[in-house]
Amino acid sequence: MKKYNNKISASVMCSDLLNLEKDIRTLENLGVDMLHIDVMDAHFVPNLTFGPDFIKAMQAHTHLPVDCHFMVTEPDLMYSKLQMRKGDIFTVHAEVDRDYRYMADPLHASGALFGIAINPDTPVEAVERHLPYTDLVLLMTVYPGFAGSKLVEGIMEKVGQMRSFLDERGYQDIEISVDGSVSNERANYMASLGASVFVCGTASLYRKGMSLEETVPEFRQAITL
């Protein structure tokens, strides 16, 4: 299996939103690789979170890439309002049935990356049509919508299934991201199965009674194989 540079994507949704800039500066100083922004529309998932203006504000206030996960029924509305930078990630869902090449090509031209996500009950085969223009596959390991959700039983094995699925089709360069209840121990195991981008929320970086100065180095150690 190809060796990847494992990366921490800190979930902004789990930050102290009234002191977000302070958290961002701390995450930057601690060497977090990117900031994960969950965009929800209260239709695709039962929650409403951030939108294009928030993403633009984040881009203006950090040098870190923004790892944007669009859990929306109309991704075109978001795509038309954003300018992604080099290293930023624009991830949409395979469950929204369309060919996304019209998004991926301009993103690649700007140096950004295109991701395709699937929910826990969606089979790995659902990503196949998108692979020629995909940089990253995001596997939801919880049912999406809210922070602190419970890990779906048996879902971690899907990482190995996806890695084999990609490798067998010649897509060794496509990375796997995991999102949902990603604790240190689970991240370590999923890294061994082929995950390389870890969306970190309340199970890892934002743990009660612990500071980011404590949790970030611990998590980094967990994904350093």
Side-chain angles (χ1 to χ4, degrees), residues 4-7 113 134-138 163 166 171-177 194-197:
Y4 299 91
N5 177 26
N6 291 343
K7 295 174 277 291
L113 304 176
T134 292
D135 303 291
L136 173 142
V137 172
L138 186 152
R163 186 72 267 160
L166 296 173
Y171 293 102
Q172 292 86 355
D173 289 337
I174 294 180
E175 295 195 60
I176 295 174
S177 175
S196 57
V197 179

Side-chain angles (χ1 to χ4, degrees), residues 30 40 70 72 75 77 89 98 118 156 197 205:
L30 291 171
M40 307 181 194
F70 295 93
V72 299
L77 296 177
I89 305 174
R98 67 187 67 191
I118 56 174
M156 289 191 290
V197 179
L205 298 194

Side-chain angles (χ1 to χ4, degrees), residues 69-223:
H69 178 194
F70 295 93
M71 289 167 272
V72 299
T73 56
E74 295 294 338
D76 291 4
L77 296 177
M78 304 296 170
Y79 178 74
S80 65
K81 297 179 183 299
L82 291 169
Q83 181 62 52
M84 305 303 279
R85 309 166 303 174
K86 182 178 180 179
D88 289 346
I89 305 174
F90 191 102
T91 297
V92 292
H93 270 262
E95 292 87 358
V96 179
D97 186 21
R98 67 187 67 191
D99 186 331
Y100 285 112
R101 186 181 291 276
Y102 71 96
M103 289 186 180
D105 287 348
L107 287 167
H108 291 150
S110 68
L113 304 176
F114 177 79
I116 194 76
I118 56 174
N119 286 332
D121 294 337
T122 301
V124 297
E125 291 82 5
V127 305
E128 186 162 18
R129 63 183 288 203
H130 307 289
L131 296 181
Y133 49 82
T134 292
D135 303 291
L136 173 142
V137 172
L138 186 152
L139 300 180
M140 290 302 303
T141 49
V142 301
Y143 292 110
F146 298 93
S149 298
K150 184 179 179 181
L151 188 83
V152 174
E153 185 175 355
I155 196 68
M156 289 191 290
E157 306 308 323
K158 195 173 184 179
V159 175
Q161 295 167 13
M162 180 61 78
R163 186 72 267 160
S164 295
F165 183 83
L166 296 173
D167 291 351
E168 289 166 2
R169 286 155 180 78
Y171 293 102
Q172 292 86 355
D173 289 337
I174 294 180
E175 295 195 60
I176 295 174
S177 175
V178 288
D179 183 357
S181 198
V182 180
S183 67
N184 293 12
E185 296 76 17
R186 291 165 180 162
N188 180 267
Y189 178 57
M190 288 189 283
S192 74
L193 296 177
S196 57
V197 179
F198 302 86
V199 179
C200 297
T202 56
S204 51
L205 298 194
Y206 300 93
R207 291 153 64 187
K208 289 183 179 180
M210 297 185 70
S211 67
L212 291 170
E213 287 83 359
E214 295 171 292
T215 59
V216 172
E218 280 190 10
F219 191 85
R220 180 72 71 186
Q221 183 62 38
I223 62 172

